Amino acid sequence: MSVHESIEAFARAVADELGPEAVSLSHEVIDRYGEHTLPAPDTKPGAVVYPDSTRAVQTLVRLANRFRVPLFPISNGQNIGLGTRSPVRAGQVVVDLGRRMNKILEVNEKLGYCVIEPGVSFQALYDELRNRDSKLMMSPTAGPVQGSVLANALDKGGGCGAYADHFGMSCGLEIVLGNGEVIRTGDGALAGDQHPNWHVSKYSFGPFLDGLFSQSNFGIVTRMGVWLMPRPPHIEPFFFTFEEDDSLGEIIDLIRPLKQSNFVPTLIRANNELYLLSSGETNPEYAASAGKRTLSDEGRRALRKKHGIGAWTVSGAFYGASQAALAPNIERLRRHFTASGAGRWIPLDEAEQIGPLHIAISSNTGVPTNNELKMLSWRPGGGIIWLSTGLPMLGDMAAQFQREARRICESNGLEYMLSNVCGPRFARGIHSLIYNREDADEARRADACYRQLAEFYASHGVFVGRAPTLYQGFHHDQRMSELNDACHAIKQALDPNGVIAPGKYGIA
Ligand SMILES: Cc1cc2nc3c(=O)[nH]c(=O)nc-3n(C[C@H](O)[C@H](O)[C@H](O)COP(=O)(O)OP(=O)(O)OC[C@H]3O[C@@H](n4cnc5c(N)ncnc54)[C@H](O)[C@@H]3O)c2cc1C
């Protein structure tokens, strides 16, 4: 049977077993699911299927094994800049779990968690908590509000607030393996159907398997427990801004003790001006060089002046009983960040007047927002690639790496946009490469820029976290072969015919 015939036979069998509404071979649907924002042609799936239950997912996996058809699971397919909803390889059948498996199965007010299916979006969870008048709050990302909470956690995404490590805050999974079997992780694995600890006890008896299903292709996750924080009576976002590019080192050294001591309970972000301002502006010099040159230093300074921010802006929030109760914390932070004279406090009422800072205000108060998506309009043509590196929380190192990364971006005619997502010891460095995907030369430069940045970081021992589908094979090959062999052995054991997303994160 040819690949095409296998997919047609698979689609007929799916329609027979799960109903015609569970599968689509329409050209329009296939084109839409193939779209992405990366510098390569669209990656069209062979078909799209829509399961409505764990049992239906099992049926799809069983049929995929029978017809030797590769599947690519998505939840809501909002992975913009990382592959969107397109499969890692053309011809794979997209399993769109989000369309019909989108229930919030439980909200536990006392214990502070919810249990969700793949299609529950940040917006849906936010709305549900509000409608229930819940005392709990969620940790939104700065990304699309329709993104899936479960998929974001599986892909090791990060949000805002104290519960920002989304995979860290997940607890207890249900998974359909590539061999069609269903497993429950953690205390959910106990035989029987009573599992009071499934979504409250992260580490159970035996090895911790949950991690195997993050950024991998060993199974399809159909249910997840997610921990939620009690909403504090008052949340006070804060902002500090620094004028110079070279202030990054000082900023990182100032943030480290605040996080190690947990004086600031939320994640702290240190974003450069173009990362922030791209969601409120279009590149004013794009037309003059037809996108060939990066925005000039004078252009950057003019935009900073217009919005009242410097080269780097620090954001986070305090939790407490009231604004008055938190005033001493803000004062202590103000002294901390302004001691050298390089930093300036932006009072909250001033920050509220600065459009690009609204994203941090919303996210830190638990409200999802689509405002950051506007950064895709910084240049025409809709191209965006995320490069997620990261560094130890050491000022010297951060300063040195930002200089070279800036040079690499500018030598490719692209703006340097960086968000440092700072924890106690490590800062994830999210580089946003925005380019015109409809301009072949610009797309080529964006691709070169991603690879040069990744190679520069790797040459200093710094690896990436989450990666766009287009570069997963490239990063896989940067790793020690013994670790790759271990991943392939696990793949063989759990998915012997390799039906779940072969090639995802480089694992075939
Ligand atoms: C402007 C902008 C800002 C962003 N900001 C952030 C941010 O602050 N933090 C952040 O983390 N992300 C951010 N993102 C990235 C992205 O949009 C989110 O991570 C998104 O929420 C992912 O959810 P999804 O439904 O789109 O996932 P999907 O596209 O459905 O899936 C994401 C990945 O998980 C896998 N997957 C999905 N469901 C399953 C399943 N059930 N079983 C097994 N594997 C599965 C998929 O194969 C894919 O690899 C941003 C994006 C943009 C464009």
Side-chain angles (χ1 to χ4, degrees), residues 72-82 84-85 97 118 122 141-144 146-148 150-152 154-155 157-159 213 216 219-222 269 372-373 375-376 384 386 466 504-505:
F72 187 83
I74 63 166
S75 287
N76 287 354
Q78 298 286 311
N79 224 13
I80 299 163
L82 295 159
T84 315
R85 61 183 81 77
L97 294 127
F122 289 96
T141 69
Q146 295 306 334
S148 152
L150 177 149
N152 180 266
L154 279 186
D155 222 19
F213 302 97
S216 78
I220 300 179
V221 177
T222 49
R269 287 181 90 134
E372 197 164 291
L373 275 175
M375 70 163 48
L376 271 83
I384 182 169
W386 294 109
R466 200 161 30 157
K504 189 175 164 195
Y505 278 88

Side-chain angles (χ1 to χ4, degrees), residues 217-234:
N217 55 7
F218 302 145
I220 300 179
V221 177
T222 49
R223 167 181 168 134
M224 177 186 277
V226 174
W227 290 343
L228 301 170
M229 193 181 92
R231 177 174 280 282
H234 182 78

Side-chain angles (χ1 to χ4, degrees), residues 353-422:
Q353 307 307 314
I354 303 175
L357 302 188
H358 290 180
I359 298 160
I361 296 175
S362 294
S363 313
N364 274 310
T365 47
V367 183
T369 166
N370 267 337
N371 279 347
E372 197 164 291
L373 275 175
K374 293 183 194 150
M375 70 163 48
L376 271 83
S377 308
W378 170 254
R379 288 181 174 227
I384 182 169
I385 324 172
W386 294 109
L387 171 73
S388 304
T389 60
L391 290 172
M393 284 289 292
L394 296 173
D396 285 354
M397 217 171 161
Q400 178 204 332
F401 276 75
Q402 72 101 15
R403 267 181 234 120
E404 181 59 11
R406 185 185 296 276
R407 192 200 60 74
I408 292 172
C409 289
E410 293 179 358
S411 72
N412 285 290
L414 297 175
E415 283 75 29
Y416 174 66
M417 299 183 184
L418 179 68
S419 173
N420 296 284
V421 183
C422 304

Side-chain angles (χ1 to χ4, degrees), residues 127-349:
D127 291 344
E128 176 69 16
L129 295 174
R130 251 171 65 123
N131 292 342
R132 286 169 175 253
D133 206 12
S134 170
K135 301 209 168 7
L136 303 171
M137 70 183 272
M138 54 170 240
S139 161
T141 69
V145 302
Q146 295 306 334
S148 152
V149 177
L150 177 149
N152 180 266
L154 279 186
D155 222 19
K156 300 187 204 145
C160 283
Y163 282 31
D165 170 6
H166 288 174
F167 189 69
M169 292 296 157
S170 73
C171 183
L173 306 177
E174 176 186 78
I175 304 137
V176 178
L177 300 176
N179 60 16
E181 284 168 9
V182 177
I183 60 167
R184 296 183 301 264
T185 62
D187 273 26
L190 190 67
D193 54 11
Q194 301 253 334
H195 304 108
N197 287 331
W198 188 7
H199 302 300
V200 293
S201 164
K202 189 136 176 140
Y203 307 118
S204 180
F205 173 83
F208 178 68
L209 293 191
D210 299 45
L212 285 182
F213 302 97
S214 66
Q215 296 190 351
S216 78
N217 55 7
F218 302 145
I220 300 179
V221 177
T222 49
R223 167 181 168 134
M224 177 186 277
V226 174
W227 290 343
L228 301 170
M229 193 181 92
R231 177 174 280 282
H234 182 78
I235 301 173
E236 185 75 10
F238 61 76
F239 296 91
F240 291 87
T241 199
F242 290 72
E243 208 47 49
E244 302 300 330
D245 292 338
D246 276 340
S247 296
L248 182 63
E250 177 183 349
I251 294 170
I252 294 294
D253 285 335
L254 286 170
I255 294 174
R256 186 179 58 247
L258 300 173
K259 284 307 303 170
Q260 285 189 358
S261 63
N262 216 21
F263 177 63
V264 173
T266 64
L267 260 185
I268 301 181
R269 287 181 90 134
N271 294 353
N272 81 343
E273 86 281 69
L274 291 187
Y275 188 99
L276 289 173
L277 298 179
S278 56
S279 47
E281 292 281 349
T282 54
N283 182 339
E285 296 174 8
Y286 184 85
S289 77
K292 292 208 165 22
R293 276 196 310 277
T294 185
L295 180 66
S296 64
D297 285 349
E298 302 75 63
R300 282 201 293 140
R301 274 195 290 273
L303 281 184
R304 296 204 300 244
K305 193 161 176 226
K306 177 174 167 194
H307 290 275
I309 61 167
W312 296 96
T313 300
V314 173
S315 63
F318 284 115
Y319 304 138
S322 64
Q323 189 170 32
L326 290 173
N329 293 34
I330 294 284
E331 178 51 26
R332 187 168 150 198
L333 214 56
R334 199 181 61 73
R335 284 200 305 273
H336 183 70
F337 277 117
T338 61
S340 76
R344 180 176 79 82
W345 178 46
I346 306 180
L348 188 54
D349 53 356

